Amino acid sequence: MNEQRKEILQMLAEGKITTEEADQLIAALERDQPVPVASGSDVRPKGKPKYLRVMVDANDDGIPSRVNVRVPLQLLRAGVRLAALIPAQALGEANAELTRSGLPFDLTQLKPEQLEALVEHLDDMTVEVDQPDTKVRVFCE
């Protein structure tokens, strides 16, 4: 909260101005401040992200469904650091099992600096899915 807004609220609390006057003063302050540019309908504060969020809005056969998952990035960072401690043979077995499951992913290539680069560049990504009534968003907040 900025200093001018605090002063207005303090004057209101002390009874020096009415609620209508406080509302007018705050509205005048907001007009004078630049409006943040938003991509889409929601505004997220910029700064060091703490969470990876995956949101899915779907409408299957007229039945709306929604998924909203928020994963702490610290958990992902810890997982990447722990993966570095896994013996090479175990990583090979894990990679083989991932491939058999239809997810060809090489855990030996997962490095902490790559995760940080991903987090840095993953601001707001929208993915269109095969179904027209489904929207998937992945972003950091």
Side-chain angles (χ1 to χ4, degrees):
M1 184 180 306
N2 67 27
E3 197 61 34
Q4 293 171 325
R5 187 178 299 259
K6 284 182 186 178
E7 289 176 16
I8 293 169
L9 293 175
Q10 183 65 36
M11 288 189 299
L12 178 62
E14 293 172 354
K16 294 180 180 178
I17 59 174
T18 66
T19 55
E20 292 81 21
E21 292 169 324
D23 187 44
Q24 290 172 353
L25 289 170
I26 290 173
L29 280 178
E30 291 173 350
R31 280 192 303 270
D32 293 341
Q33 299 202 358
V35 177
V37 177
S39 61
S41 60
D42 49 13
V43 177
R44 291 184 315 278
K46 295 294 178 189
K48 187 172 181 178
K50 294 183 180 182
Y51 299 97
L52 174 69
R53 177 159 273 176
V54 178
M55 298 173 71
V56 179
D57 289 313
N59 194 355
D60 298 325
D61 299 325
I63 302 170
S65 60
R66 185 173 195 174
V67 175
N68 188 352
V69 179
R70 195 168 97 163
V71 180
L73 289 174
Q74 281 302 102
L75 180 65
L76 297 176
R77 289 181 180 105
V80 170
R81 286 192 295 271
L82 287 174
L85 301 174
I86 298 173
Q89 181 181 354
L91 281 176
E93 291 175 21
N95 285 338
E97 190 59 39
L98 285 170
T99 301
R100 267 193 298 277
S101 298
L103 185 64
F105 189 77
D106 188 359
L107 293 172
T108 62
Q109 299 301 312
L110 190 58
K111 306 286 184 234
E113 57 273 7
Q114 292 171 330
L115 179 64
E116 293 305 320
L118 174 66
V119 168
E120 185 177 312
H121 292 95
L122 184 62
D123 184 21
D124 191 2
M125 176 177 68
T126 301
V127 180
E128 294 298 325
V129 184
D130 293 334
Q131 300 163 341
D133 292 339
T134 302
K135 182 178 180 183
V136 177
R137 293 183 62 227
V138 179
F139 57 91
C140 291
E141 60 179 11

